[in-house]
Amino acid sequence: QKEVEQDPGPLSVPEGAIVSLNCTYSNSAFQYFMWYRQYSRKGPELLMYTYSSGNKEDGRFTAQVDKSSKYISLFIRDSQPSDSATYLCAMTNTGNQFYFGTGTSLTVIP
Amino acid sequence: GAVVSQHPSWVICKSGTSVKIECRSLDFQATTMFWYRQFPKQSLMLMATSNEGSKATYEQGVEKDKFLINHASLTLSTLTVTSAHPEDSSFYICSARGQGDSGANVLTFGAGSRLTVL
């Protein structure tokens, strides 16, 4: 079983839709959770960083962590064509090793 | 926020030559840097982990004599692809882990370096 599972998509939504991206994980020791956005031929860009369970909101983005279910989500409200990218979840317990999902490819259609 | 600068962004070289890629943390000290390789439409593949002042730890299957990693200071790590061959053509990305409660458990990535070996 992989440490982190993420549906690769592709996911295609109309502009303005709410997008839900998810990852599940197997290691209950993970405490720090990240979401990255990666445009084609660019390095991943940190979108959200959360510690332990709960929600965190930043503009149109909301990150949720449910440690009891080992499940994390990223919601994008009012999606824009510029949100079209690959989204990677990542997590760690100590910061010595980071575990990544395979990424979900998102296309927002104008 | 934390910024990692990676250069060059794109390099073309002839087969048999060596190429050096630099990764710098601009506004924080990076105790640990990670080097990844990424093939088109695939996820990140960890190549090695480097800690400042010590030898890099390579992932299984990664040739340490081909991919030389040096982490000489808290703000600079380099990856040298030695005797490059066309199969080494790929997208290489570095990332850095900072210090303290806010920086030690999150990675900041460079913009990546596209290597094409002719």
Side-chain angles (χ1 to χ4, degrees):
Chain A
Q1 183 185 9
K2 285 186 181 179
E3 297 273 5
V4 181
E5 298 276 2
Q6 183 176 9
D7 187 339
L11 186 60
S12 183
V13 301
E15 183 176 353
I18 297 174
V19 176
S20 172
L21 304 166
N22 311 292
C23 288
T24 59
Y25 61 94
S26 57
N27 189 343
S28 58
F30 290 147
Q31 297 190 77
Y32 304 91
F33 304 89
M34 291 138 273
W35 284 97
Y36 292 89
R37 176 175 63 196
Q38 186 178 22
Y39 292 114
S40 180
R41 302 189 179 196
K42 296 290 185 184
E45 169 195 9
L46 181 66
L47 280 178
M48 302 290 283
Y49 169 59
T50 54
Y51 168 68
S52 195
S53 283
N55 294 357
K56 185 175 183 179
E57 186 173 322
D58 184 1
R60 296 185 295 112
F61 299 92
T62 299
Q64 286 186 351
V65 175
D66 182 349
K67 289 193 71 180
S68 61
S69 301
K70 299 192 186 71
Y71 188 88
I72 69 170
S73 300
L74 177 71
F75 297 96
I76 307 174
R77 290 184 298 281
D78 187 25
S79 56
Q80 302 294 308
S82 58
D83 295 329
S84 299
T86 296
Y87 291 80
L88 295 159
C89 63
M91 49 201 77
T92 185
N93 53 344
T94 64
N96 291 322
Q97 282 185 295
F98 289 80
Y99 297 86
F100 287 84
T102 51
T104 300
S105 175
L106 171 67
T107 300
V108 180
I109 303 168
Chain B
V3 177
V4 172
S5 174
Q6 184 174 345
H7 293 281
S9 59
W10 190 20
V11 57
I12 302 173
C13 69
K14 292 182 179 180
S15 187
T17 61
S18 294
V19 173
K20 180 184 283 189
I21 300 170
E22 287 192 353
C23 181
R24 292 181 184 272
S25 56
L26 297 187
D27 51 0
F28 67 101
Q29 293 185 325
T31 54
T32 305
M33 289 188 174
F34 301 86
W35 286 93
Y36 296 85
R37 185 172 180 177
Q38 189 175 39
F39 294 102
K41 298 189 185 296
Q42 293 190 25
S43 190
L44 303 168
M45 184 182 76
L46 180 65
M47 298 176 65
T49 302
S50 72
N51 292 293
E52 184 264 339
S54 59
K55 288 185 178 180
T57 301
Y58 291 82
E59 295 299 300
Q60 191 172 7
V62 176
E63 299 176 60
K64 60 182 179 182
D65 294 331
K66 166 165 275 296
F67 300 101
L68 299 178
I69 292 171
N70 183 283
H71 192 161
S73 77
L74 283 172
T75 60
L76 174 64
S77 177
T78 60
L79 166 67
T80 301
V81 183
T82 62
S83 186
H85 288 93
E87 58 265 29
D88 298 324
S89 298
S90 191
F91 192 54
Y92 295 89
I93 315 173
C94 71
S95 67
R97 170 197 169 204
Q99 298 172 319
D101 291 342
S102 61
N105 298 297
V106 63
L107 288 182
T108 302
F109 285 87
S113 299
R114 181 161 303 280
L115 171 63
T116 300
V117 184
L118 302 176

